[in-house]
Amino acid sequence: MTKSPEHEHPVKAFGWAARDQSGHLSPFKFSRRATGDKDVTFKVLYCGICHSDLHSIKNEWGATKYPLVPGHEFVGEVTEVGSKVQKFKVGDKVGVGCLVGSCHSCDDCAKDLENYCLEAVGTYNSTYYDGTPTHGGYSNIMVVNEHFVVHIPNNLPLDAAAPLLCAGITTYSPLKYFGFDKPGMHIGVVGLGGLGHVAVKFAKAFGVMVTVISTSPNKKSEALEHLGADSFLVSRDQDQMRAAVGTLHGIIDTVSAVHPLLPLISLLKSHGKLVMVGAPDRPLELPVMPLLMGRKLVAGSCIGGMKETQEMVDFAAKHKIAADIEVIPMDYVNTAMERLAKADVRYRFVIDVGNTLKAA
């Protein structure tokens, strides 16, 4: 007989969950496993709202299993550690991103690329090794194997550090892997939202030139004056786009809605790379001829492995990089989702779980 979410595990837990494709979130009682030998248990204090959460609660990718507790960029304070845990202790500030498990034996895991493991277990909307569903950070407590826990340096504000565990690593990893962090590079960042604004911050910390590409002219001053971008293109302005043809070594495309790729490919120099990190819910049209004429590449990148995620957080602490956030109470989350769908946030909602999540 199938156990209810409240009785799957011995530790009582509470959060907010979506029950159907309406995506409406409401209070939800469930349970977490007891702290195992290699587990870290922590009280969740802040959780960022990723665009993936919005896609997932509405089943826009067609794979959601309800009830769903979202959240895969969250931080908190350790309350208990297992007897074999070596890297963490009670009281540490820690975080969890998009992963809570992998096989540890495949080629990708051996290369610290657990994010590409075929048996990777997502922080929510996945099935854990014991057969129970995983639930994310819109909740009061988390239990996770220490391998998938990230230490949060003391000089990073916890609320603004939370989005780094998804938005941060999603942009940091391709910047490094594709060589966009090298001196003399000129890169574009498409979309100035939760991912895009962090991409600009990391790229400028690497010392490269950055052009922000947006459909919104009113984001120009924000991009140039606040985030430190070097230039700004309005993608709907044909004259601006034409003048910038062939000027960029690479582009990080953060947009999660359907949009044309040809204008972006045209901005690349020969051998340039367009790297997709947003995840639209419908296929994009990819024109091949412009790729041939210049040996250009279109690639994808998905978060990063645990070693690189810790490296990213440490880099962010060293360079004082954090997300620009709007902190909200738990009961504002449905309104926040509506605003996120309209891109009405600067630039990441973060739920104050520790102070505003009240058990029913």
Side-chain angles (χ1 to χ4, degrees):
M1 184 176 178
T2 304
K3 292 183 178 180
S4 69
E6 274 191 271
H7 299 101
E8 285 174 334
H9 300 290
V11 179
K12 293 184 182 301
F14 179 72
W16 279 46
R19 270 75 165 191
D20 54 46
Q21 288 187 218
S22 71
H24 182 79
L25 293 149
S26 58
F28 176 65
K29 292 180 180 179
F30 65 109
S31 54
R32 300 281 193 193
R33 67 178 184 268
T35 307
D37 288 346
K38 296 183 179 180
D39 285 342
V40 172
T41 297
F42 66 93
K43 177 184 178 181
V44 179
L45 297 177
Y46 296 99
C47 182
I49 297 180
C50 175
H51 213 286
S52 298
D53 300 347
L54 180 59
H55 284 303
S56 296
I57 61 175
K58 293 180 176 293
N59 195 29
E60 291 177 345
W61 291 329
T64 299
K65 293 169 281 191
Y66 298 103
L68 176 77
V69 178
H72 59 202
E73 47 180 52
F74 54 105
V75 296
E77 183 174 326
V78 176
T79 57
E80 186 179 15
V81 297
S83 60
K84 296 181 180 179
V85 169
Q86 298 180 337
K87 297 187 292 184
F88 302 96
K89 64 183 185 302
V90 172
D92 282 354
K93 301 300 189 295
V94 297
V96 166
C98 303
L99 299 173
V100 295
S102 69
C103 77
H104 301 290
S105 59
C106 67
D107 288 345
D108 284 324
C109 284
K111 297 173 183 175
D112 299 311
L113 294 170
E114 301 92 342
N115 48 315
Y116 298 125
C117 173
L118 294 178
E119 298 179 24
V121 180
T123 303
Y124 68 81
N125 201 41
S126 284
T127 301
Y128 202 64
Y129 305 113
D130 59 7
T132 61
T134 58
H135 293 302
Y138 294 22
S139 59
N140 63 337
I141 186 174
M142 184 64 181
V143 183
V144 62
N145 183 286
E146 74 165 328
H147 184 80
F148 298 94
V149 181
V150 175
H151 172 70
I152 306 296
N154 288 330
N155 67 319
L156 273 181
L158 275 182
D159 51 3
L164 296 179
L165 297 167
C166 175
I169 189 60
T170 295
T171 52
Y172 179 93
S173 184
L175 285 169
K176 296 279 286 187
Y177 180 81
F178 291 100
F180 297 167
D181 60 334
K182 302 296 188 291
M185 298 296 286
H186 184 182
I187 71 154
V189 174
V190 185
L192 197 61
L195 294 176
H197 89 286
V198 178
V200 173
K201 291 186 179 189
F202 278 129
K204 291 310 300 178
F206 288 136
V208 305
M209 285 188 64
V210 179
T211 293
V212 170
I213 304 159
S214 174
T215 59
S216 305
N218 59 1
K219 289 187 176 181
K220 180 176 181 178
S221 61
E222 180 77 9
L224 301 179
E225 297 167 18
H226 174 64
L227 296 174
D230 299 282
S231 54
F232 186 89
L233 288 176
V234 179
S235 57
R236 291 172 175 159
D237 187 318
Q238 297 303 311
D239 291 336
Q240 288 188 26
M241 294 293 283
R242 197 176 300 114
V245 165
T247 60
L248 302 177
H249 295 97
I251 296 173
I252 300 290
D253 187 342
T254 72
V255 176
S256 58
V258 173
H259 59 290
L261 298 183
L262 179 59
L264 302 177
I265 295 170
S266 300
L267 298 177
L268 293 171
K269 295 175 178 284
S270 295
H271 320 293
K273 306 174 184 74
L274 170 60
V275 184
M276 314 298 294
V277 297
D281 58 359
R282 299 192 308 280
L284 304 182
E285 182 176 324
L286 178 61
V288 173
M289 188 62 74
L291 301 180
L292 307 182
M293 307 309 293
R295 195 186 278 164
K296 300 175 183 180
L297 299 178
V298 176
S301 183
C302 183
I303 57 171
M306 296 313 302
K307 181 179 180 181
E308 188 176 42
T309 301
Q310 186 66 66
E311 173 192 305
M312 175 274 304
V313 170
D314 293 341
F315 181 90
K318 179 180 179 180
H319 293 272
K320 297 180 172 57
I321 294 171
D324 289 5
I325 60 172
E326 179 178 335
V327 179
I328 62 168
M330 189 74 242
D331 61 9
Y332 187 79
V333 67
N334 289 302
T335 301
M337 290 295 183
E338 293 173 3
R339 288 178 53 191
L340 179 59
K342 297 182 288 188
D344 177 23
V345 56
R346 182 183 171 275
Y347 286 99
R348 202 71 153 184
F349 287 117
V350 172
I351 305 167
D352 183 354
V353 177
N355 289 315
T356 67
L357 176 61
K358 307 299 182 186

